[in-house]
Amino acid sequence: MARLLLLCAASGLLLAAVGAIPPPEEAARMARFVLHSCDWGALATLSAQEGLRGRPFANIFSLSDGPPGPRGGSGVPYLYLTDMEISVQDLEVNSNASLTVSLAQTPYCRQHRYDPQNPLCAHIIFVGSIVKVNDSEAVLAKKALFSRHPEMETWPKDHNWFFAKFNITNIWVLDYFGGLKIVTPEEYYSVKP
């Protein structure tokens, strides 16, 4: 009986998750949904490293736009960075970057047997720049990041960690067949997730 109840509860969660996915015609909502559902993304910089200078360089970073939950996201991708990290050294020379987040990191795509490259396994590509946040915004960034990544609080203090955000200038959404959809930052931030 307990196993049946557990199975019913899991099925209910799956149905709730499916219902929570925005429809393909709401690309701005989809972008907000995917970012808020993800705990990490692939950040691509232009390398400043010897032997790679000017070439694309992608790296994984933990991120958060707010505490978990349906209403917790601001839409702003926050990061916790140190100058000791190779991609951050790239950003010190050229702060422009792109950030990709995908539902492939969530149970959604696995449950539906969607390959990460399948458009139905939605992913978002943000283009913009990385900027350090001011002290008042650092409070929001800290809450957003540490609520999802509590380990960050224990990272070595001598690494001079700082809070930053991805300043979004362009957004592309791939969540259905037919190609990328363009969403403006104004559309993205004005939509209710």
Side-chain angles (χ1 to χ4, degrees):
M1 183 61 140
R3 186 173 177 185
L4 179 61
L5 287 174
L6 185 59
L7 183 59
C8 288
S11 297
L13 288 174
L14 176 60
L15 289 174
V18 171
I21 302 277
E25 59 274 8
E26 294 185 32
R29 270 190 66 221
M30 180 63 81
R32 292 285 299 268
F33 175 84
V34 173
L35 178 67
H36 189 63
S37 299
C38 293
D39 289 329
W40 57 270
L43 183 75
T45 59
L46 290 176
S47 181
Q49 306 306 312
E50 194 62 42
L52 293 175
R53 192 164 282 122
R55 297 173 83 184
F57 189 85
N59 206 344
I60 299 297
F61 283 90
S62 299
L63 56 82
S64 176
D65 79 331
R71 305 238 188 276
S74 67
V76 177
Y78 289 111
L79 303 104
Y80 196 42
L81 305 175
T82 172
D83 293 330
M84 299 172 79
E85 209 288 321
I86 192 168
S87 295
V88 176
Q89 293 168 17
D90 296 341
L91 292 166
E92 289 170 349
V93 174
N94 183 342
S95 65
N96 293 311
S98 65
L99 173 68
T100 300
V101 291
S102 171
L103 286 182
Q105 68 177 272
T106 70
Y108 177 78
C109 294
R110 286 187 296 279
Q111 290 168 344
H112 289 84
R113 301 184 197 274
Y114 294 150
D115 185 88
Q117 202 169 330
N118 181 331
L120 298 176
C121 184
H123 73 268
I124 315 304
I125 303 165
F126 297 100
V127 173
S129 59
I130 300 289
V131 295
K132 289 183 180 181
V133 298
N134 61 34
D135 290 342
S136 62
E137 194 171 5
V139 174
L140 296 172
K142 181 177 182 178
K143 182 179 179 185
L145 285 158
F146 289 9
S147 65
R148 288 183 181 236
H149 308 281
E151 174 188 328
M152 288 179 169
E153 286 191 83
T154 66
W155 289 356
K157 301 296 181 212
D158 64 351
H159 283 40
N160 298 316
W161 296 96
F162 62 92
F163 295 101
K165 67 180 175 182
F166 194 94
N167 186 27
I168 300 168
T169 58
N170 302 84
I171 305 165
W172 289 273
V173 175
L174 185 60
D175 64 345
Y176 202 71
F177 303 99
L180 290 166
K181 300 169 192 163
I182 295 173
V183 173
T184 67
E186 294 76 23
E187 292 167 329
Y188 174 78
Y189 285 116
S190 68
V191 74
K192 298 290 183 222

